């Protein structure tokens, strides 16, 4: 073991030195990387729309960013796992349940990967799925509203990195655990060094309702205790299969940079999910006691609910022998990508000097012929050569992730050598390479993971931006770089900063999203919120013990009521604000001085609630925070807070100094 450690350290040290050298040394052609007609190719004139929406993971921000391509313009930031004061997400009473978990409210996560919903293997523009890598969660964003519609926590999991990946018709969105841990239904109070005996991996298959998009954990696969990194579904001939990259097959529990990098090969796990379905229907699944949150936002009531679920069905793949197979893959694989035909599975070993390409046809033959090289904890290991189509030789240093253009070409990011390499599927020959600035991680070709890539652009998401932008302190801006891949040679045409830290992204034609049935008019009569105020005449203030409910309306350019008196110290005040506007581009904001949560951002025709507990006696302004008209600044009012036990009656008014008595159900 000591000898192995001594041998490994120099290799790892050399990779670190190479990476640092690339960071420190600015390439000679960096200043001229964008040249010629590049500016024209990326230019979108004022008033014109981009060709593509680009949905980019926000990493540690817990958010999803939306950019236009080719302009690189930031269009929207969608809060998913993180509170967002701009929109009141996670602060309003209606959205707080979206961040609930079995651990309580968790207002942050590490959003790594993005997946569009699909029909017949192509994006359909309905939903986008994203993962929470920390407290393992999966979210669905509705692309008619660009809002988070649903979040489901994943039991038996710790980390959720190989997620979310969709089958051809979004029958399932699939998620594999990053950190193997003891299952939730057993005692986890075990020695960490008992990893090999007690730690297990789990892969979750989350079903998606074809009409509503509603998610449910259909079943889980319990696997040996390895770490799952990335995954892709099969397509066309490989439909019904799923492929996961696995590392730490050494099952190390400390100093993984050494102890999880000892084997010459790790694995790609091939999963026959159609066979798993058969076992499920045959009653082979076991009901397991767990606890996980399922959070859903209702567009009719504008309110989220959180339900704690208590059970999940698990299939043990070491007992059901023909669900899973391991394919050896060098070395510490990251990417695991399937070409548009479904025939080729591309592995990307971070420490490998080549790119292995496996054949689905050969894999099936190997399984049928039992061309195995033993097993790993009961799962057959397919012989490397039996499944191998071939190897891309000397592609670069640190291959990570591959996408496809639909014209027979593949593109692989090279983290250590900071480049994107283009190679042919037909003969596995490298045909082009371009530098990135610097240390590229994931790449994205619009539709590049589907049966029908659009193939016009490639975007590189880089980990380091040294010298590219104005310096902003130790935390430099995150980076994306846009390449035109419509010709034989790749050409960088733009780089632009992104909200960090970007990992993976997907892009789809703009027409697919902007013509997907987005509403232009929001009918106030469709508002089913329990505290909706559908006309200014219905505005009121109601006391229920120490709770004060303000039924408020907002319209250009005033709030109703805008004068409230009789609130007492110790009261909980709930401002239920209804936006009476119905045109889609007139939101209103709402804030009160001293509130410790955030503003509200109320969409047309909707109702949203701000909870406020005043902490002192005095006068508190209320106002609209989102510019709405020429008289936006005048859209304001006051709340008077009196001492506890005060005899000042609860009253309200708008447009008059004559107070109107409130409806009171209890003092």
């Amino acid at each position: 073991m000591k000898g192995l450690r001594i041998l490994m350290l120099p290799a790892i040290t050399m990779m670190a030195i190479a990476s640092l050298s690339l960071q420190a040394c600015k390439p000679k052609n960096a200043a001229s990387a964008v040249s010629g007609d590049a500016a024209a190719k990326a230019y979108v004139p004022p008033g014109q729309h981009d060709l593509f929406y680009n949905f980019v993971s926000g990493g540690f921000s817990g958010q999803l960013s939306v950019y236009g391509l080719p302009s690189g313009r930031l269009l929207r930031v969608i809060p998913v796992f993180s509170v967002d004061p701009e929109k009141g997400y996670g602060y309003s009473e209606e959205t707080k349940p979206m961040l609930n978990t079995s651990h309580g409210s968790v207002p942050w996560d590490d959003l790594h990967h993005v997946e569009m919903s699909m029909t017949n293997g192509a994006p359909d523009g309905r939903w986008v799925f994203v993962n929470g890598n920390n407290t393992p969660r999966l979210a669905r964003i509705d692309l008619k509203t660009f809002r988070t519609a649903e979040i489901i926590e994943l039991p038996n999991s710790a980390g959720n990195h190989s997620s979310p990946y969709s089958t051809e018709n979004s029958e399932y969105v699939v998620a594999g655990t990053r950190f193997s841990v003891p299952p939730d239904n057993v005692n986890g109070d075990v020695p960490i060094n008992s990893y090999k005996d007690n730690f297990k991996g789990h892969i979750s298959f989350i079903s998606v309702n074809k009409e509503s998009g509603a998610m449910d954990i259909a079943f889980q696969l319990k696997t040996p205790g390895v770490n799952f990194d990335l995954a892709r579904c099969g397509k066309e001939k490989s439909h019904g299969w799923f492929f996961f990259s696995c590392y730490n097959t050494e099952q190390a529990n400390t100093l993984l940079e050494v102890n999880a990098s000892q084997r010459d090969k790790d694995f790609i796990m091939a999963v026959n999910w159609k066979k798993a379905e058969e076992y499920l229907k045959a009653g082979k699944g076991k009901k397991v006691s767990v606890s996980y949150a399922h959070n859903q936002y209702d567009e009719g009531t504008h309110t989220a609910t959180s339900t704690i679920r208590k059970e999940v069905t698990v299939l043990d793949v070491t007992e059901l022998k023909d669900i899973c197979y391991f394919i050896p893959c060098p070395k510490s694989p990251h990417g695991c990508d399937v070409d548009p035909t479904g025939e080729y599975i591309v592995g990307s070993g971070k420490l490998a000097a080549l790119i292995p390409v496996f054949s689905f046809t050969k894999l099936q033959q190997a399984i049928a012929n039992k061309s195995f090289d033993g097993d790993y904890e009961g799962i057959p290991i397919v012989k490397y050569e039996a499944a191998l189509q071939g190897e891309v030789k000397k592609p670069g240093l640190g291959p990570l992730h591959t996408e496809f253009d639909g014209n027979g070409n593949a593109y692989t990011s090279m983290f250590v050598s900071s480049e994107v390499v283009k190679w042919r599927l037909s003969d596995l020959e490298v045909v082009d390479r371009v530098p990135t600035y610097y240390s590229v991680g994931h790449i994205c070709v619009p539709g590049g993971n589907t049966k029908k890539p659009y193939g016009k652009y490639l975007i590189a998401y880089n980990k380091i931006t040294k010298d590219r932008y104005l310096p902003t302190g130790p935390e430099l801006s995150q980076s994306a770089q846009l390449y035109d891949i419509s010709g034989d040679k790749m050409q960088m045409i733009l780089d632009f900063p992104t909200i960090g830290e970007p990992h993976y992204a997907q892009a789809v034609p703009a027409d697919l999203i902007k013509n997907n049935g987005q509403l232009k008019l929001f009918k106030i009569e469709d508002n089913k919120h329990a505290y909706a105020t559908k006309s200014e005449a219905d505005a009121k203030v109601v006391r229920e013990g120490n709770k004060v409910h303000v039924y408020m309306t907002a319209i250009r350019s005033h709030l109703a009521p805008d004068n409230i008196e009789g609130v007492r110290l110790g009261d909980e005040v709930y401002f239920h604000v209804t936006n009476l506007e119905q045109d889609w581009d007139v939101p209103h904001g709402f804030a009160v001085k001293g509130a410790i949560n955030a503003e509200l951002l109320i969409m047309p025709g909707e109702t949203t609630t701000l909870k406020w507990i005043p902490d002192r006696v005095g006068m508190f302004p209320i106002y609209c925070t989102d510019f709405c008209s020429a008289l936006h600044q005048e859209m304001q009012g006051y709340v008077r807070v009196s001492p506890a036990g005060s005899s000042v009656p609860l009253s309200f008014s708008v447009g008059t100094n004559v107070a109107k008595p409130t409806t009171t159900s209890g003092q």
Side-chain angles (χ1 to χ4, degrees), residues 60-64 78-85 87-111 130-132 134-141 147-154 292-297 303-308 597-598:
F60 43 65
S61 76
Q63 301 168 328
L64 180 68
I78 303 172
V80 184
F81 303 115
S82 295
V83 294
D84 182 1
K87 305 170 187 67
Y89 180 84
Y91 291 109
S92 71
E93 295 304 294
E94 288 80 3
T95 58
K96 284 180 180 178
M98 293 300 289
L99 300 177
N100 190 43
T101 74
S102 62
H103 303 275
S105 179
V106 179
W108 168 86
D109 216 310
D110 190 10
L111 195 161
V130 297
N131 69 329
N134 180 262
T135 303
R137 287 175 278 184
L138 181 72
R140 175 176 60 89
I141 290 91
R147 290 196 293 210
T148 303
E150 190 172 12
I151 297 177
I152 193 165
E153 187 181 3
L154 301 176
Y292 66 97
H294 187 184
N295 312 326
Q296 296 173 287
Y297 185 83
T303 302
T305 56
S306 179
T307 304
I308 298 296
N597 39 23

Side-chain angles (χ1 to χ4, degrees), residues 117-398:
S117 59
M118 292 191 289
T119 300
N120 295 325
D124 57 23
R126 304 176 70 189
W127 309 298
V128 57
F129 302 94
V130 297
N131 69 329
N133 185 39
N134 180 262
T135 303
R137 287 175 278 184
L138 181 72
R140 175 176 60 89
I141 290 91
D142 189 331
L143 291 180
K144 287 185 179 180
T145 62
F146 279 67
R147 290 196 293 210
T148 303
E150 190 172 12
I151 297 177
I152 193 165
E153 187 181 3
L154 301 176
N156 293 320
S157 300
N160 172 34
H161 193 261
S162 57
S163 163
Y165 298 104
S166 171
T167 53
E168 277 197 342
N169 294 290
S170 294
E171 298 96 338
Y172 299 107
V173 176
V174 185
T177 187
R178 173 179 177 180
F179 307 105
S180 287
V181 291
D184 289 357
N185 66 320
V186 304
N187 180 19
D189 182 19
V190 296
I192 296 174
N193 63 12
S194 69
Y195 187 114
K196 293 185 179 181
D197 296 323
N198 293 309
F199 289 49
K200 299 296 179 184
H202 281 79
I203 298 172
S204 301
F205 281 74
I206 296 95
S207 61
V208 181
N209 184 282
K210 292 182 179 179
E211 300 302 322
S212 67
M215 301 188 298
D216 191 22
I217 299 179
F219 62 93
Q220 291 185 316
L221 301 180
K222 186 169 75 172
T223 73
V226 297
N227 293 17
F228 294 106
D229 199 339
L230 296 177
R232 284 291 186 212
C233 70
K235 49 182 74 83
E236 291 288 358
K237 63 174 63 179
S238 56
H239 177 63
W241 286 75
F242 232 97
F243 305 94
F244 293 82
S245 59
C246 311
Y247 67 103
N248 193 23
T249 55
E250 296 88 347
Q251 298 187 323
N253 58 271
T254 183
L255 199 62
L256 264 63
E257 64 173 321
V258 173
N259 294 323
S261 303
Q262 295 180 11
R263 295 175 183 263
D264 182 55
K265 291 182 174 67
D266 285 289
F267 295 128
I268 286 176
M269 177 185 276
V271 177
N272 185 340
W273 61 263
K274 288 286 189 180
K275 179 61 69 173
E277 283 187 328
E278 292 177 14
Y279 281 125
L280 197 67
K281 292 176 182 178
K284 299 294 185 180
K286 298 176 182 178
K287 301 292 185 181
V288 173
S289 295
V290 293
S291 180
Y292 66 97
H294 187 184
N295 312 326
Q296 296 173 287
Y297 185 83
D298 188 311
E299 287 290 344
T301 63
H302 319 142
T303 302
T305 56
S306 179
T307 304
I308 298 296
R309 310 284 289 272
K310 293 293 185 180
E311 190 177 73
V312 69
T313 302
V314 176
L315 297 168
D316 189 333
V317 301
T318 63
E319 296 176 359
L320 306 169
K321 299 295 184 181
D322 49 356
I323 295 179
C324 293
Y325 302 87
F326 280 131
I327 310 169
C329 182
K331 178 174 185 185
S332 295
H334 184 63
C336 178
D337 301 288
V338 180
D339 86 302
T341 70
E343 172 62 20
Y344 301 118
I345 304 107
V346 180
S348 296
K350 300 191 296 290
L351 303 181
L354 51 80
I355 301 172
V357 180
F358 301 101
S359 161
F360 180 74
T361 300
K362 289 186 175 182
L363 171 64
Q364 297 307 299
Q365 292 171 348
I367 293 172
N369 296 333
K370 299 190 183 301
S371 297
F372 301 141
D373 196 4
D375 68 84
Y376 181 92
E377 294 197 13
I379 297 179
I381 300 174
V382 176
K383 289 183 178 179
Y384 180 71
E385 293 77 10
L388 186 70
Q389 176 69 20
E391 297 172 340
V392 182
K393 304 291 187 181
K394 298 181 180 179
L397 298 177

